[in-house]
Amino acid sequence: MNYWLVKSEPAAYSWADFVREGGTDWTGVRNFQARNFLRQMQPGDPVLFYHSVSDKQVVGIAEAAAPAAPDATAPAGTDWVAVRLVPRQPLATPVSLARIKQDERLSQIALLRQSRLSVMPLKAEEFDVLLELGAGAA
């Protein structure tokens, strides 16, 4: 099992939108590294949903529901992919970027090293720490 974090600007597509729709195909990724991460996602992989730009916080837990497939929003003949994601539950306490930066256990998280990447892997330990922080634990 792999662990992931995906980022979305809440003004464009928020956690509330995601929950209301019951899931989405994670389309529009046009970065090669992020595309390669999408290709690695497998059904059942847990995914943290991060509000970027304005909120800058992890807000919920999702799950990959299907392996990568061609991105319907991409130009014909290109190899961009999308993954079906479904919401599982919101975090009791959103985990802000400031809080992530303060926690030494997250000092090597991809979110801090490659802040512009929209899809990134997490180590199991990082995922667990984020869940702990999102549960409101000290």
Side-chain angles (χ1 to χ4, degrees), residues 105-120:
R105 299 172 295 175
L106 298 172
S107 65
Q108 297 301 309
I109 193 170
L111 183 63
L112 300 180
R113 292 183 291 111
Q114 293 181 286
S115 63
R116 297 194 47 93
L117 203 57
S118 63
V119 177
M120 60 192 69

Side-chain angles (χ1 to χ4, degrees), residues 5-18 26-28 49-57 59 115-118:
L5 183 140
V6 297
K7 294 166 51 177
S8 181
E9 295 180 30
Y13 191 77
S14 70
W15 173 258
D17 298 327
F18 183 47
W26 206 257
T27 62
F49 193 106
Y50 181 87
H51 276 171
S52 62
V53 182
S54 57
D55 292 353
K56 296 182 182 178
Q57 59 187 3
V59 295
S115 63
R116 297 194 47 93
L117 203 57
S118 63

Side-chain angles (χ1 to χ4, degrees), residues 45-80:
D45 282 355
V47 179
L48 293 177
F49 193 106
Y50 181 87
H51 276 171
S52 62
V53 182
S54 57
D55 292 353
K56 296 182 182 178
Q57 59 187 3
V58 179
V59 295
I61 306 167
E63 183 177 302
D71 183 341
T73 69
T78 62
D79 62 354
W80 298 111

Side-chain angles (χ1 to χ4, degrees), residues 83-100:
V83 171
R84 182 77 184 163
L85 299 179
V86 294
R88 289 297 173 230
Q89 67 184 62
L91 293 182
T93 304
V95 182
S96 70
L97 179 59
R99 180 69 181 101
I100 291 168

